[in-house]
Amino acid sequence: MNGNLYQPISGRIIDIIDESPTIKSFVVEAESPFKFATGQFIELTLPGVGEAPFTPSSSPKQTEQMEITIMKAGRVTGLLHECSPGQMVGIRGPFGNGYPVNGFAGKEIYIVGGGVGLAPIRSLFLTLVDRIKDFKKVVCRFGARTPDDFIYKKALFGPWQKINGVDIKLTVDKGDGQWTGNVGVVTTILNANDVDVKNAVAIVCGPPIMMKYATIKLLEFKFAPDTIYLSMEKNMSCGIGKCGHCMLGKYYVCKDGPVFTYEQIRKYPKIWD
Amino acid sequence: MDAVFVSKLKTLLDALAEKMDVYVPAKASKHLVFTKYDPGSSPAVEFNAVRTCTPVKEFLFPLRETAATMQTQAQVPALKAFAVVGLKDCDVRSIAILDKVFAEDDFKDALYVARREKMFIVSSDCTEPAQTCFCALFEGKGFTEKGFDLNISPIKGGFIVDIGSRKGHEFVERNSGLFADVPAALLEERDANRAAVQQQLERQSAEFIPSEPLQRILERTQDSEIFAQLAKDCIECQACTRVCPTCHCFYLYDGKQQDYFTKMKIWDSCMRFGYAMVAGGANPNKVLGERMKHRLMHKFVYFLERYGVNMCVGCGRCIDADAGGIDLRQVLKKLGEEARLQKTERAK
Ligand SMILES: Cc1cc2nc3c(=O)[nH]c(=O)nc-3n(C[C@H](O)[C@H](O)[C@H](O)COP(=O)(O)OP(=O)(O)OC[C@H]3O[C@@H](n4cnc5c(N)ncnc54)[C@H](O)[C@@H]3O)c2cc1C
Ligand code: SF4
Ligand code: FES
């Protein structure tokens, strides 16, 4: 890649969708069509304020507009949540490797997600569903703190569940009056016979603690370490393997990841911290 | 290698200054730092016998620079060619290390590359290494054979100027009137001088030669108490990473000018508490000792795995700068001893 990779292109927030009490989706239009592979991330600048990495949650097929789902977590995300449509933003990227979707052909895909981790998963899900015949089945196990904390509720509670070849189960840490589904952390809805482990890949994205216990569970199910794909979250700044912040062993999470197989990183200390 | 002879350093510097900004080492209180050379008003320029106190990286990767702007038509002024004089072998090798990250990687850092292309390197032999120089542990010899445009060796009656690149050749050809041929006897004398310095460097590092590769030592001492002990001496001044010619962490910082927005690229340090912290407060390196360990792991394990070379040239600047009195040579030696003990214990 050439040119000044620190220079964002400009874009505009054209719509904002409330997803949950702490999460909003921002529909962003870049100055020119923006291509990315599912699982790659962008650095989004709020001019004069700061920059943070996010994985677009929309389908890569959609290049005119992209959606970015953002949890209010600190300074930059907090100020993004206060923005209105029309706000100018900067976009750098796409960076990182994304999911090796072509390598998943013919397999069963086991997706485990939690919280705002559903953002990258939505982009992946839309990509998979688009060519669902290429995969044996897509099995999703998603968790949220409460029913209201689920994002993409409309799609998740309805149309996605009806897609042929897709099997979705949801759980919440704490129910409410209407919730009839499972209550418990996401690992409580993982079962060894959800997929044919020998012909499956697992994809895990969510809070570190969830990723840790989900990985342990998947290993118990006899998933091979190189079939477990993890989206690693590290402090990032440059996005291009220069600034050092995102180092995980010899890897730069921004450039060599953010998607790694467990096999790649298992030997390094503190991968879940 | 082609070489020519010049009797006065000033002759060379003035010729360089015709087309380039020239930076030379100069004394600032008791330290040597790079200073812009002014052919008109400078007093006699002295040859620097040892490396400067500040690292050469500041010419390619400044402490603070504008990496990007938004909503402005402002033109970036074109960079002028510049020469840096008096770089030592360790400095030249530090540039080769930074090149791997910023210029030779498939993702290039356009800011670095632009400066690198404009840089003219005039290295020079070390004649009086510092006590803290331990370049001999990292293939350093006190003189350099590649990676420079010109190299100067002080010698009886003047300087031998080696030509190391096409740019160097062009410069010497353009100024051929200033240079003489090198008498063969002087070349021999230079070799003898170099050998003496190299021997001195080897002597002063002899007690620190690790018994096995540093990578192996560090991999085996992950749980060592030494890091916690070190943390007691460290006052978190971050000077070690600032003066290090190979440390290159930075942070992009968004700001505002009157009528446009900026993204600044500013040096950062892995010794800083919040360096690896993510939103929500999770932080793999909360503990100071862990950060010190990360710094060593990056230099002698991760960088080596990725780029095939240690991220240290043995210049010793971190030892000179360390306000807490930490000596990297001693740290590596202690870790080496611990690794050896472990090995013999396991053998029992
Ligand atoms: C690959 C990747 C993908 C991600 N995808 C998503 C996603 O899709 N949705 C989501 O909600 N979260 C995502 N995250 C997490 C998200 O990036 C963080 O929540 C976000 O960085 C928090 O920023 P903050 O400023 O609000 O938090 P804070 O805790 O205030 O700051 C965290 C970081 O913000 C940066 N920062 C602070 N000040 C400045 C400044 N002046 N200039 C530039 N940077 C500054 C620094 O890097 C700082 O360490 C992702 C993270 C990664 C690594
Ligand atoms: S570390 Fe070696 S090359 Fe650098 S100044 Fe000291 S003697 Fe010269
Ligand atoms: S974010 Fe800078 S190296 Fe990865």
Side-chain angles (χ1 to χ4, degrees):
Chain A
M1 267 208 261
N2 290 311
N4 181 359
L5 300 176
Y6 304 121
Q7 178 65 54
I9 60 166
S10 68
R12 204 164 284 286
I13 297 175
I14 55 170
D15 196 11
I16 300 174
I17 303 152
D18 283 321
E19 300 283 4
S20 84
T22 54
I23 300 174
K24 292 183 182 183
S25 288
F26 297 78
V27 183
V28 173
E29 196 172 75
E31 65 186 26
S32 50
F34 191 86
K35 291 206 178 95
F36 65 94
T38 188
Q40 282 192 303
F41 70 96
I42 60 154
E43 283 280 352
L44 186 73
T45 301
L46 190 53
V49 171
E51 198 179 39
F54 303 102
T55 317
S57 56
S58 47
S59 161
K61 267 208 332 205
Q62 190 185 317
T63 56
E64 299 297 320
Q65 290 173 358
M66 87 182 118
E67 274 165 62
I68 305 164
T69 303
I70 299 176
M71 182 168 77
K72 194 169 156 176
R75 208 176 61 85
V76 176
T77 51
L79 288 164
L80 277 165
H81 269 239
E82 284 171 25
C83 290
S84 315
Q87 171 67 47
M88 209 258 289
V89 292
I91 303 160
R92 293 193 297 126
F95 297 132
N97 57 2
Y99 293 106
V101 174
N102 290 333
F104 296 165
K107 297 196 188 285
E108 299 185 8
I109 299 167
Y110 197 31
I111 308 179
V112 183
V116 77
L118 293 198
I121 286 176
R122 175 173 178 247
S123 174
L124 173 67
F125 184 84
L126 296 173
T127 308
L128 296 174
V129 161
D130 224 38
R131 41 188 278 207
I132 190 79
K133 297 227 155 56
D134 290 354
F135 314 102
K136 282 204 102 161
K137 59 178 177 179
V138 175
V139 179
C140 302
R141 297 294 179 256
F142 297 153
R145 267 197 339 205
T146 70
D148 199 29
D149 284 308
F150 270 113
I151 55 178
Y152 317 129
K153 291 184 196 60
K154 239 165 69 203
L156 192 56
F157 296 161
W160 285 5
Q161 308 228 10
K162 302 201 184 81
I163 300 168
N164 251 335
V166 171
D167 159 15
I168 297 181
K169 256 198 202 121
L170 306 174
T171 183
V172 293
D173 296 352
K174 203 164 149 267
D176 60 11
Q178 279 121 51
W179 183 256
T180 54
N182 189 78
V183 176
V185 294
V186 81
T187 42
T188 61
I189 54 167
L190 303 184
N191 282 301
N193 54 9
D194 283 339
V195 287
D196 170 17
V197 172
K198 282 192 293 302
N199 187 37
V201 293
I203 285 142
V204 187
C205 186
I209 185 83
M210 182 226 108
M211 304 235 307
K212 176 176 172 178
Y213 287 105
T215 302
I216 293 172
K217 198 90 185 214
L218 293 167
L219 292 168
E220 278 171 20
F221 294 169
K222 298 282 184 282
F223 269 89
D226 64 356
T227 60
I228 303 174
Y229 292 85
L230 304 167
S231 289
M232 301 308 290
E233 185 181 339
K234 290 277 155 194
N235 180 309
M236 286 189 184
S237 187
C238 72
I240 53 173
K242 308 274 173 267
C243 76
H245 285 93
C246 68
M247 279 186 78
L248 179 60
K250 72 169 177 181
Y251 296 115
Y252 294 114
V253 172
C254 64
K255 185 164 182 264
D256 307 318
V259 180
F260 290 93
T261 64
Y262 180 62
E263 176 67 27
Q264 282 176 289
I265 55 174
R266 63 199 278 197
K267 78 165 183 178
Y268 293 118
K270 296 186 281 195
I271 57 176
W272 310 116
D273 291 355
Chain B
M1 192 182 298
D2 288 341
V4 290
F5 181 84
V6 68
S7 52
K8 285 204 169 60
L9 197 53
K10 186 165 169 40
T11 312
L12 175 67
L13 298 180
D14 288 350
L16 289 168
E18 270 171 27
K19 292 222 166 92
M20 292 184 275
D21 286 339
V22 178
Y23 295 88
V24 294
K27 274 251 160 80
S29 71
K30 48 188 205 331
H31 299 295
L32 272 181
V33 297
F34 290 107
T35 313
K36 190 152 171 203
Y37 173 69
D38 176 353
S41 64
S42 297
V45 185
E46 278 169 53
F47 175 84
N48 61 311
V50 68
R51 58 168 162 73
T52 49
C53 152
T54 45
V56 64
K57 69 181 174 188
E58 58 186 346
F59 289 103
L60 298 166
F61 168 40
L63 173 61
R64 185 187 170 86
E65 71 182 314
T66 306
T69 56
M70 291 185 76
Q71 282 192 324
T72 175
Q73 307 305 315
Q75 289 294 311
V76 186
L79 269 177
K80 197 179 166 194
F82 63 99
V84 188
V85 180
L87 297 189
K88 298 304 181 189
D89 173 49
C90 54
D91 297 323
V92 173
R93 285 183 294 121
S94 78
I95 296 175
I97 286 172
L98 294 179
D99 280 353
K100 288 193 187 298
V101 179
F102 291 117
E104 290 164 11
D105 188 68
D106 50 350
F107 286 4
K108 312 231 178 303
D109 181 314
L111 313 172
Y112 179 97
V113 170
R115 289 195 156 82
R116 185 73 175 87
E117 282 166 359
K118 296 287 180 191
M119 185 183 203
F120 189 90
I121 297 175
V122 185
S123 53
S124 66
D125 294 2
C126 300
T127 51
E128 292 165 39
Q131 290 280 300
T132 46
C133 291
F134 63 107
C135 56
L137 295 186
F138 297 95
E139 290 157 34
K141 301 187 295 255
F143 63 92
T144 179
E145 288 172 307
K146 60 169 196 274
F148 57 83
D149 295 300
L150 300 176
N151 179 77
I152 48 187
S153 317
I155 200 84
K156 219 182 306 144
F159 300 88
I160 295 172
V161 181
D162 286 303
I163 304 167
S165 72
R166 192 180 44 81
K167 270 203 271 183
H169 257 292
E170 283 165 9
F171 171 81
V172 170
E173 264 164 39
R174 217 170 34 242
N175 296 283
S176 54
L178 305 176
F179 301 107
D181 289 342
V182 195
L186 287 191
L187 281 174
E188 274 167 36
E189 193 182 318
R190 193 258 307 259
D191 286 348
N193 292 345
R194 284 180 164 182
V197 170
Q198 187 176 354
Q199 271 168 26
Q200 178 189 338
L201 287 168
E202 280 165 7
R203 248 189 335 265
Q204 72 187 41
S205 281
E207 66 164 305
F208 301 110
I209 295 173
S211 57
E212 59 184 318
L214 289 172
Q215 181 184 17
R216 300 286 311 286
I217 290 176
L218 277 158
E219 278 172 347
R220 286 226 308 281
T221 49
Q222 286 292 296
D223 302 323
S224 170
E225 300 279 307
I226 291 174
F227 298 105
Q229 284 163 18
L230 278 176
K232 288 195 189 129
D233 291 330
C234 173
I235 59 163
E236 296 184 64
C237 64
Q238 303 171 13
C240 54
T241 55
R242 307 266 148 184
V243 298
C244 177
T246 64
C247 277
H248 55 271
C249 285
F250 64 88
Y251 184 66
L252 294 174
Y253 191 87
D254 283 89
K256 238 190 266 205
Q257 294 297 320
Q258 286 231 303
D259 51 358
Y260 64 96
F261 300 106
T262 55
K263 206 178 277 301
M264 306 297 293
K265 180 181 168 199
I266 304 176
W267 289 3
D268 199 358
S269 168
C270 63
M271 300 304 291
R272 184 170 61 77
F273 173 80
Y275 174 82
M277 189 158 77
V278 296
N283 186 350
N285 291 331
K286 264 197 194 93
V287 179
L288 177 57
E290 292 296 304
R291 298 202 286 284
M292 302 181 89
K293 190 196 299 178
H294 173 84
R295 176 163 163 262
L296 298 188
M297 290 298 284
H298 186 199
K299 288 193 171 298
F300 304 112
V301 181
Y302 305 145
F303 199 87
L304 182 72
E305 282 181 0
R306 192 172 184 103
Y307 296 107
V309 49
N310 281 308
M311 204 182 100
C312 175
V313 292
C315 70
R317 285 182 174 91
C318 56
I319 308 173
D320 288 343
D322 202 301
I326 296 171
D327 183 332
L328 182 60
R329 296 169 298 188
Q330 299 288 357
V331 175
L332 294 174
K333 186 176 171 182
K334 267 196 214 150
L335 288 169
E337 280 160 7
E338 194 164 309
R340 200 166 49 226
L341 271 177
Q342 266 182 27
K343 216 177 181 178
T344 43
E345 248 158 54
R346 217 171 304 143
K348 269 182 212 161

